[in-house]
Amino acid sequence: MGVGAGRLRALWPAILLCAAAVPARAGTIAIGFAPPVGQDLLYHIEQLRPIAGEERRFVSDRRLRFERAGDGYILHMTLTRIDSDAPPDMAASYMAALSPLLDVTHDFRVDRSGRITALDNLDAVWSKARAGLDRMAAREKPDSAPWRAARNVLALFDALSPDARIDLLAGEVRPMLLFAGAVVEDGAGRGVSTVAGAPLGRPAPVRGSVAVMGRDGDALDISENLAGEGVSVAMRYRVSARTGLIERQDRALKLGTVELRERRTITSAF
């Protein structure tokens, strides 16, 4: 994706990608992918961001439902709630990026390894998102922060190719599938080299390690610690080795003296 896509992607905070999976061997744990089918799940994301010297809260909820489709799945994802305690001007970009997607169901096609391969209703989702941004811009006072945010997001939306649009819309889904179908080291762990992106606003190469810290039945506690020039990231995961879903993820990202904290959870909707 181009520069515009990179700016827009920062509005949907991304997660770091682990090293590629390796064949199972002694001292490793294979993580499967068997998500619960026909069950509504709640995917909750909460961020604490430092803004103007204060820690501000940004929250989003999504309803998830997996259905069988051939040898893979369809994942129905619907954004049901967004909220922030930041002043409207400070939350304008966040609201502009997510508000048009409220109550819009995405039908992601997921292969048997847990990889998103397509968005079946891409045109319908994109049309609703664009119409929502148009309405948002129309009701805001020209040159206000919400108006500028809506116009900026709309311009970036329109600049994306279809593949880039799928990548963007799947940006909050892929983190929960990060370990699906993968293999992790049981003990000393292994090295990881990747790039930290949002919310830094620029790519930052980081290196470190990922290791299994504990196991309770099918549940794995995994630790990932990465660092680069002026940036460090500490991740803690609770992963189901059976379903392949990350049931809880805690992230602390430090850029100099600035820290962003985030928690993601997946629970039953009932």
Side-chain angles (χ1 to χ4, degrees), residues 148-232:
R148 289 194 300 271
R151 300 307 300 175
N152 288 340
V153 173
L154 183 58
L156 294 176
F157 266 25
D158 287 341
L160 297 177
S161 68
D163 286 345
R165 292 173 182 178
I166 294 175
D167 286 342
L168 178 66
L169 293 168
E172 293 292 21
V173 186
R174 288 192 170 113
M176 74 177 194
L177 302 171
L178 185 63
F179 289 98
V183 173
V184 292
E185 302 287 343
D186 185 10
R190 67 178 175 200
V192 176
S193 178
T194 184
V195 175
L200 300 178
R202 58 175 176 80
V206 289
R207 295 177 180 274
S209 63
V210 57
V212 176
M213 306 302 293
R215 185 169 189 174
D216 181 10
D218 288 330
L220 303 177
D221 290 315
I222 298 176
S223 172
E224 185 176 12
N225 296 287
L226 305 163
E229 185 176 353
V231 60
S232 65

Coordinates of all heavy atoms in Angstrom, one line a residue, residues 148-232:
R148 N -12.8 17.7 9.0 CA -11.5 17.5 8.4 C -11.1 16.0 8.5 O -10.6 15.4 7.5 CB -10.4 18.3 9.1 CG -10.5 19.8 8.7 CD -9.2 20.5 9.1 NE -8.9 20.4 10.5 CZ -9.4 21.3 11.5 NH1 -10.1 22.3 11.1 NH2 -9.1 21.1 12.7
A149 N -11.4 15.4 9.7 CA -11.1 14.0 9.8 C -11.9 13.1 8.8 O -11.3 12.2 8.2 CB -11.4 13.5 11.3
A150 N -13.2 13.4 8.7 CA -14.0 12.6 7.8 C -13.5 12.8 6.3 O -13.4 11.8 5.6 CB -15.4 13.1 7.9
R151 N -13.2 14.0 5.9 CA -12.7 14.3 4.6 C -11.3 13.6 4.3 O -11.1 13.0 3.3 CB -12.6 15.8 4.3 CG -13.9 16.6 4.4 CD -15.0 16.0 3.6 NE -14.7 16.0 2.2 CZ -15.5 15.5 1.3 NH1 -16.6 14.9 1.6 NH2 -15.1 15.5 0.0
N152 N -10.5 13.6 5.3 CA -9.2 13.0 5.2 C -9.3 11.5 5.0 O -8.6 10.9 4.2 CB -8.3 13.3 6.4 CG -7.8 14.8 6.3 OD1 -7.8 15.4 5.3 ND2 -7.4 15.3 7.5
V153 N -10.1 10.9 5.9 CA -10.3 9.4 5.8 C -11.0 9.1 4.5 O -10.6 8.1 3.8 CB -11.1 8.9 7.0 CG1 -11.5 7.4 6.8 CG2 -10.4 9.1 8.3
L154 N -11.9 9.8 4.0 CA -12.6 9.6 2.8 C -11.6 9.6 1.6 O -11.6 8.7 0.7 CB -13.7 10.6 2.5 CG -14.6 10.4 1.3 CD1 -15.2 9.0 1.3 CD2 -15.6 11.5 1.2
A155 N -10.7 10.6 1.6 CA -9.7 10.7 0.5 C -8.8 9.5 0.6 O -8.4 8.9 -0.5 CB -8.9 12.0 0.7
L156 N -8.4 9.0 1.7 CA -7.5 7.9 1.8 C -8.2 6.6 1.4 O -7.7 5.7 0.8 CB -7.0 7.8 3.2 CG -6.0 8.9 3.7 CD1 -5.6 8.8 5.1 CD2 -4.8 9.0 2.8
F157 N -9.5 6.5 1.8 CA -10.3 5.3 1.4 C -10.3 5.2 -0.1 O -10.0 4.1 -0.7 CB -11.8 5.5 1.8 CG -12.1 4.9 3.1 CD1 -11.2 4.6 4.1 CD2 -13.4 4.6 3.4 CE1 -11.5 4.1 5.3 CE2 -13.8 4.0 4.6 CZ -12.8 3.7 5.6
D158 N -10.6 6.3 -0.8 CA -10.7 6.3 -2.3 C -9.4 6.0 -3.0 O -9.4 5.6 -4.1 CB -11.2 7.6 -2.8 CG -12.7 7.8 -2.5 OD1 -13.4 6.8 -2.2 OD2 -13.2 9.0 -2.5
A159 N -8.2 6.2 -2.3 CA -6.9 6.0 -2.9 C -6.5 4.5 -2.8 O -5.5 4.2 -3.5 CB -5.9 6.9 -2.2
L160 N -7.2 3.7 -2.1 CA -6.8 2.3 -1.9 C -7.2 1.4 -3.0 O -8.3 1.5 -3.6 CB -7.3 1.8 -0.6 CG -6.9 2.4 0.7 CD1 -7.6 1.8 1.9 CD2 -5.4 2.3 0.8
S161 N -6.4 0.4 -3.4 CA -6.7 -0.6 -4.3 C -7.6 -1.6 -3.6 O -7.7 -1.6 -2.4 CB -5.5 -1.3 -4.8 OG -4.9 -2.1 -3.8
P162 N -8.4 -2.5 -4.3 CA -9.2 -3.5 -3.7 C -8.4 -4.4 -2.7 O -9.0 -4.7 -1.6 CB -9.8 -4.3 -4.9 CG -9.8 -3.3 -6.0 CD -8.6 -2.5 -5.8
D163 N -7.2 -4.8 -3.1 CA -6.5 -5.7 -2.1 C -6.1 -4.9 -0.9 O -6.1 -5.4 0.2 CB -5.2 -6.2 -2.8 CG -5.5 -7.3 -3.8 OD1 -6.6 -7.8 -3.8 OD2 -4.6 -7.6 -4.7
A164 N -5.7 -3.6 -1.1 CA -5.4 -2.8 0.1 C -6.6 -2.6 1.0 O -6.5 -2.5 2.2 CB -4.8 -1.5 -0.4
R165 N -7.8 -2.5 0.4 CA -9.0 -2.3 1.2 C -9.3 -3.5 2.0 O -9.6 -3.4 3.2 CB -10.2 -2.0 0.2 CG -10.1 -0.7 -0.5 CD -11.2 -0.5 -1.5 NE -11.1 0.8 -2.2 CZ -11.9 1.2 -3.2 NH1 -12.9 0.4 -3.6 NH2 -11.7 2.4 -3.7
I166 N -9.1 -4.7 1.5 CA -9.2 -5.9 2.3 C -8.2 -5.9 3.4 O -8.6 -6.3 4.6 CB -9.1 -7.2 1.4 CG1 -10.2 -7.2 0.4 CG2 -9.1 -8.4 2.2 CD1 -10.1 -8.4 -0.6
D167 N -7.0 -5.6 3.1 CA -5.9 -5.6 4.2 C -6.3 -4.6 5.3 O -6.2 -4.9 6.5 CB -4.6 -5.1 3.6 CG -3.9 -6.2 2.8 OD1 -4.3 -7.4 2.9 OD2 -3.0 -5.9 2.0
L168 N -6.9 -3.5 4.9 CA -7.3 -2.5 5.9 C -8.4 -3.0 6.7 O -8.4 -2.9 8.0 CB -7.6 -1.2 5.2 CG -8.1 -0.1 6.1 CD1 -7.0 0.4 7.0 CD2 -8.7 1.1 5.3
L169 N -9.5 -3.5 6.1 CA -10.7 -3.9 6.8 C -10.4 -5.2 7.7 O -11.1 -5.4 8.7 CB -11.8 -4.2 5.8 CG -12.3 -3.0 5.1 CD1 -13.2 -3.4 3.9 CD2 -13.0 -2.0 6.0
A170 N -9.4 -6.0 7.3 CA -9.0 -7.1 8.1 C -8.0 -6.8 9.2 O -7.6 -7.7 9.9 CB -8.5 -8.2 7.2
G171 N -7.6 -5.5 9.3 CA -6.6 -5.2 10.2 C -6.8 -5.5 11.6 O -5.9 -5.7 12.4
E172 N -8.1 -5.5 12.1 CA -8.4 -5.8 13.5 C -8.7 -7.2 13.7 O -8.9 -7.7 14.8 CB -9.5 -4.9 14.0 CG -9.1 -3.4 14.1 CD -8.1 -3.1 15.2 OE1 -7.3 -4.0 15.6 OE2 -8.0 -1.9 15.6
V173 N -8.9 -8.0 12.6 CA -9.3 -9.4 12.7 C -8.0 -10.3 12.8 O -8.0 -11.2 13.6 CB -10.1 -9.8 11.5 CG1 -10.6 -11.3 11.7 CG2 -11.3 -8.9 11.2
R174 N -7.0 -9.9 12.0 CA -5.8 -10.8 11.9 C -5.1 -10.9 13.3 O -4.6 -12.0 13.5 CB -4.9 -10.2 10.9 CG -5.4 -10.4 9.4 CD -4.3 -10.2 8.4 NE -4.8 -10.6 7.1 CZ -5.0 -9.8 6.1 NH1 -4.9 -8.5 6.2 NH2 -5.4 -10.3 4.9
P175 N -5.1 -9.9 14.1 CA -4.4 -10.1 15.4 C -4.9 -11.3 16.2 O -4.2 -12.0 16.9 CB -4.7 -8.8 16.2 CG -4.7 -7.8 15.1 CD -5.5 -8.5 14.0
M176 N -6.2 -11.6 16.2 CA -6.8 -12.7 17.0 C -6.4 -14.0 16.4 O -6.6 -15.0 17.0 CB -8.3 -12.5 17.1 CG -9.1 -12.8 15.9 SD -10.8 -12.7 16.2 CE -11.5 -13.6 14.8
L177 N -5.9 -14.0 15.1 CA -5.6 -15.3 14.4 C -4.1 -15.4 14.3 O -3.6 -16.3 13.6 CB -6.2 -15.3 13.0 CG -7.7 -15.1 12.9 CD1 -8.2 -14.9 11.5 CD2 -8.4 -16.4 13.6
L178 N -3.3 -14.6 15.0 CA -1.9 -14.5 14.9 C -1.2 -15.9 15.0 O -0.2 -16.2 14.3 CB -1.3 -13.5 15.9 CG 0.1 -13.2 15.8 CD1 0.5 -12.5 14.5 CD2 0.5 -12.3 17.0
F179 N -1.6 -16.7 16.0 CA -1.0 -18.0 16.2 C -1.7 -19.2 15.6 O -1.2 -20.3 15.7 CB -0.8 -18.2 17.7 CG 0.2 -17.3 18.4 CD1 -0.2 -16.1 19.0 CD2 1.6 -17.6 18.3 CE1 0.7 -15.3 19.6 CE2 2.5 -16.7 18.9 CZ 2.0 -15.6 19.6
A180 N -2.8 -19.0 14.9 CA -3.6 -20.1 14.4 C -2.7 -20.9 13.3 O -2.1 -20.3 12.5 CB -4.8 -19.6 13.7
G181 N -2.7 -22.2 13.5 CA -1.9 -23.0 12.6 C -0.4 -22.9 12.7 O 0.3 -23.4 11.9
A182 N 0.1 -22.2 13.8 CA 1.5 -22.0 13.9 C 2.1 -23.0 14.9 O 1.4 -23.9 15.5 CB 1.8 -20.6 14.4
V183 N 3.4 -22.9 15.1 CA 4.2 -23.7 16.0 C 5.0 -22.8 16.9 O 5.6 -21.9 16.4 CB 5.1 -24.7 15.3 CG1 6.0 -25.5 16.3 CG2 4.3 -25.7 14.5
V184 N 5.0 -23.0 18.2 CA 5.7 -22.2 19.1 C 6.7 -23.0 19.9 O 6.5 -24.2 20.1 CB 4.8 -21.4 20.1 CG1 4.0 -20.4 19.3 CG2 3.9 -22.4 20.8
E185 N 7.8 -22.4 20.3 CA 8.8 -23.1 21.1 C 8.3 -23.3 22.6 O 7.8 -22.3 23.2 CB 10.1 -22.3 21.1 CG 10.7 -22.1 19.7 CD 11.2 -23.3 19.1 OE1 11.5 -24.3 19.8 OE2 11.4 -23.3 17.9
D186 N 8.5 -24.5 23.1 CA 8.1 -24.8 24.5 C 9.4 -24.7 25.3 O 10.2 -25.6 25.4 CB 7.5 -26.2 24.6 CG 7.0 -26.5 26.0 OD1 7.0 -25.5 26.8 OD2 6.7 -27.6 26.3
G187 N 9.6 -23.5 25.9 CA 10.8 -23.3 26.8 C 11.6 -22.1 26.4 O 11.1 -21.0 26.7
A188 N 12.8 -22.2 25.8 CA 13.7 -21.1 25.6 C 13.1 -20.1 24.6 O 13.5 -18.9 24.6 CB 15.0 -21.6 25.1
G189 N 12.2 -20.5 23.7 CA 11.6 -19.6 22.7 C 12.5 -19.5 21.5 O 13.4 -20.2 21.3
R190 N 12.2 -18.5 20.7 CA 12.9 -18.3 19.5 C 13.0 -16.8 19.1 O 12.2 -16.0 19.6 CB 12.3 -19.1 18.3 CG 11.0 -18.6 17.9 CD 10.4 -19.3 16.7 NE 9.1 -18.9 16.3 CZ 8.3 -19.7 15.6 NH1 8.6 -20.9 15.2 NH2 7.0 -19.2 15.4
G191 N 13.9 -16.5 18.3 CA 14.0 -15.1 17.9 C 13.0 -14.6 16.9 O 12.5 -15.4 16.1
V192 N 12.7 -13.3 17.0 CA 11.7 -12.7 16.1 C 12.3 -11.4 15.6 O 12.9 -10.6 16.3 CB 10.4 -12.4 16.9 CG1 9.4 -11.6 16.0 CG2 9.7 -13.6 17.4
S193 N 12.1 -11.2 14.3 CA 12.5 -9.9 13.7 C 11.4 -9.4 12.8 O 10.9 -10.1 11.9 CB 13.8 -10.1 12.8 OG 14.1 -8.9 12.2
T194 N 10.8 -8.2 13.1 CA 9.7 -7.7 12.4 C 9.7 -6.2 12.4 O 10.7 -5.6 12.7 CB 8.4 -8.3 13.1 OG1 7.3 -7.9 12.3 CG2 8.2 -7.8 14.5
V195 N 8.5 -5.6 12.1 CA 8.4 -4.1 12.1 C 7.2 -3.7 12.9 O 6.1 -4.2 12.7 CB 8.3 -3.6 10.6 CG1 8.0 -2.1 10.6 CG2 9.5 -4.0 9.8
A196 N 7.4 -2.8 13.8 CA 6.4 -2.2 14.6 C 5.8 -1.0 13.7 O 6.5 -0.2 13.3 CB 6.9 -1.7 15.9
G197 N 4.5 -1.1 13.6 CA 3.8 0.0 12.8 C 3.0 0.9 13.6 O 3.5 1.6 14.5
A198 N 1.7 0.9 13.4 CA 0.8 1.8 14.2 C 0.9 1.4 15.6 O 1.0 0.2 16.0 CB -0.7 1.6 13.7
P199 N 0.7 2.4 16.5 CA 0.4 3.8 16.3 C 1.6 4.7 16.2 O 1.5 5.8 16.5 CB -0.4 4.1 17.5 CG 0.3 3.3 18.6 CD 0.7 2.0 17.9
L200 N 2.8 4.1 15.8 CA 4.0 5.0 15.7 C 3.9 6.0 14.6 O 4.6 7.0 14.7 CB 5.2 4.1 15.6 CG 5.4 3.0 16.6 CD1 6.6 2.2 16.3 CD2 5.6 3.7 18.0
G201 N 3.2 5.7 13.6 CA 3.1 6.6 12.5 C 4.3 6.4 11.5 O 4.4 7.1 10.5
R202 N 5.2 5.5 11.8 CA 6.3 5.2 10.9 C 6.7 3.8 11.3 O 6.6 3.3 12.4 CB 7.5 6.1 11.2 CG 8.0 6.1 12.7 CD 9.2 6.9 12.9 NE 9.6 6.9 14.3 CZ 10.3 6.0 14.9 NH1 10.6 4.9 14.2 NH2 10.6 6.1 16.2
P203 N 7.3 3.0 10.3 CA 7.8 1.7 10.5 C 9.0 1.7 11.4 O 9.9 2.6 11.2 CB 8.0 1.1 9.2 CG 8.3 2.3 8.3 CD 7.4 3.4 8.9
A204 N 9.1 0.8 12.3 CA 10.3 0.8 13.2 C 10.7 -0.7 13.3 O 10.0 -1.5 13.9 CB 10.0 1.3 14.6
P205 N 11.9 -1.1 12.8 CA 12.4 -2.4 12.9 C 12.6 -2.8 14.4 O 13.2 -2.0 15.1 CB 13.7 -2.4 12.1 CG 13.6 -1.2 11.2 CD 12.8 -0.2 12.0
V206 N 12.2 -4.0 14.8 CA 12.4 -4.4 16.1 C 12.8 -5.9 16.1 O 12.4 -6.7 15.2 CB 11.1 -4.3 17.0 CG1 10.8 -2.8 17.3 CG2 9.9 -4.9 16.3
R207 N 13.5 -6.3 17.2 CA 14.0 -7.7 17.3 C 13.7 -8.1 18.8 O 13.7 -7.3 19.7 CB 15.5 -7.8 17.0 CG 15.8 -7.5 15.5 CD 17.3 -7.6 15.3 NE 17.7 -7.4 13.9 CZ 17.7 -8.3 13.0 NH1 17.4 -9.5 13.3 NH2 18.0 -7.9 11.7
G208 N 13.6 -9.4 18.9 CA 13.4 -9.9 20.3 C 13.1 -11.4 20.2 O 13.7 -12.1 19.4
S209 N 12.3 -11.9 21.1 CA 12.0 -13.3 21.2 C 10.5 -13.5 21.6 O 9.9 -12.7 22.2 CB 12.9 -14.0 22.3 OG 12.7 -13.4 23.6
V210 N 10.0 -14.7 21.3 CA 8.7 -15.1 21.7 C 8.8 -16.5 22.3 O 9.6 -17.4 21.8 CB 7.7 -15.2 20.5 CG1 8.2 -16.0 19.4 CG2 6.3 -15.6 20.9
A211 N 8.2 -16.7 23.4 CA 8.3 -18.0 24.1 C 7.0 -18.4 24.9 O 6.3 -17.5 25.3 CB 9.5 -17.9 25.1
V212 N 6.8 -19.7 25.1 CA 5.7 -20.1 25.9 C 6.1 -20.1 27.4 O 7.1 -20.7 27.8 CB 5.3 -21.6 25.5 CG1 4.2 -22.1 26.4 CG2 4.8 -21.6 24.1
M213 N 5.3 -19.3 28.2 CA 5.7 -19.1 29.6 C 4.9 -20.1 30.5 O 5.3 -20.3 31.6 CB 5.4 -17.7 30.0 CG 6.0 -16.7 29.1 SD 7.8 -16.8 29.0 CE 8.3 -16.4 30.7
G214 N 3.8 -20.7 30.0 CA 3.1 -21.6 30.8 C 2.0 -22.2 30.0 O 1.6 -21.8 28.9
R215 N 1.4 -23.3 30.6 CA 0.3 -24.0 29.9 C -0.6 -24.6 30.9 O -0.3 -25.1 31.9 CB 0.9 -25.2 29.1 CG -0.1 -25.9 28.2 CD 0.6 -26.9 27.2 NE -0.4 -27.4 26.3 CZ -0.1 -28.2 25.3 NH1 1.2 -28.5 25.0 NH2 -1.0 -28.6 24.4
D216 N -1.9 -24.4 30.6 CA -3.0 -24.9 31.4 C -4.0 -25.6 30.5 O -4.9 -25.0 30.0 CB -3.7 -23.7 32.2 CG -4.8 -24.2 33.1 OD1 -4.9 -25.4 33.3 OD2 -5.5 -23.3 33.7
G217 N -3.9 -26.9 30.4 CA -4.7 -27.6 29.4 C -4.4 -27.2 28.0 O -3.3 -27.2 27.6
D218 N -5.5 -26.7 27.3 CA -5.3 -26.2 26.0 C -4.8 -24.8 25.9 O -4.5 -24.2 24.8 CB -6.6 -26.3 25.2 CG -6.9 -27.8 24.8 OD1 -6.0 -28.6 24.7 OD2 -8.1 -28.1 24.8
A219 N -4.8 -24.1 27.0 CA -4.5 -22.7 27.1 C -2.9 -22.5 27.2 O -2.3 -23.0 28.1 CB -5.2 -22.0 28.2
L220 N -2.4 -21.6 26.3 CA -1.0 -21.3 26.4 C -0.8 -19.9 26.8 O -1.5 -19.0 26.3 CB -0.3 -21.5 25.0 CG -0.5 -22.9 24.4 CD1 0.2 -22.9 23.0 CD2 0.2 -24.0 25.2
D221 N 0.2 -19.6 27.7 CA 0.6 -18.2 28.0 C 1.9 -17.9 27.3 O 2.9 -18.6 27.5 CB 0.7 -18.1 29.5 CG -0.6 -18.1 30.2 OD1 -1.6 -17.5 29.7 OD2 -0.7 -18.8 31.3
I222 N 1.8 -17.0 26.3 CA 3.0 -16.7 25.5 C 3.4 -15.3 25.7 O 2.6 -14.4 25.8 CB 2.6 -16.9 24.0 CG1 2.2 -18.4 23.7 CG2 3.7 -16.5 23.1 CD1 1.7 -18.7 22.3
S223 N 4.7 -15.1 25.8 CA 5.4 -13.8 26.0 C 6.2 -13.4 24.7 O 6.9 -14.3 24.2 CB 6.3 -13.9 27.2 OG 7.0 -12.7 27.3
E224 N 6.1 -12.2 24.3 CA 6.8 -11.7 23.2 C 7.4 -10.3 23.6 O 6.7 -9.4 24.0 CB 6.0 -11.5 22.0 CG 6.7 -11.1 20.7 CD 5.8 -11.1 19.5 OE1 4.6 -11.2 19.7 OE2 6.3 -10.9 18.4
N225 N 8.7 -10.2 23.5 CA 9.4 -8.9 23.9 C 10.3 -8.5 22.7 O 11.2 -9.2 22.3 CB 10.2 -9.1 25.2 CG 9.4 -9.4 26.4 OD1 8.7 -8.6 26.9 ND2 9.4 -10.7 26.8
L226 N 10.1 -7.3 22.3 CA 10.8 -6.8 21.1 C 11.3 -5.3 21.4 O 10.7 -4.6 22.2 CB 9.8 -6.7 19.9 CG 9.1 -8.0 19.5 CD1 8.0 -7.8 18.6 CD2 10.1 -9.0 18.9
A227 N 12.4 -5.0 20.7 CA 12.9 -3.7 20.9 C 13.7 -3.2 19.7 O 14.2 -4.1 18.9 CB 13.8 -3.6 22.1
G228 N 13.7 -1.9 19.5 CA 14.4 -1.3 18.4 C 14.9 0.1 18.8 O 14.8 0.4 19.9
E229 N 15.3 0.8 17.8 CA 15.8 2.2 18.1 C 14.7 3.1 18.7 O 13.8 3.5 18.0 CB 16.4 2.8 16.9 CG 17.1 4.2 17.1 CD 17.7 4.7 15.9 OE1 17.8 4.0 14.9 OE2 18.2 5.9 16.0
G230 N 14.7 3.3 20.0 CA 13.8 4.2 20.6 C 12.4 3.6 20.8 O 11.5 4.4 21.2
V231 N 12.2 2.3 20.6 CA 10.9 1.7 20.7 C 11.0 0.3 21.4 O 12.0 -0.4 21.1 CB 10.2 1.6 19.4 CG1 11.0 0.8 18.4 CG2 8.8 1.1 19.5
S232 N 10.1 0.0 22.2 CA 10.0 -1.4 22.8 C 8.6 -1.8 22.8 O 7.7 -1.0 23.0 CB 10.6 -1.4 24.2 OG 9.9 -0.7 25.1

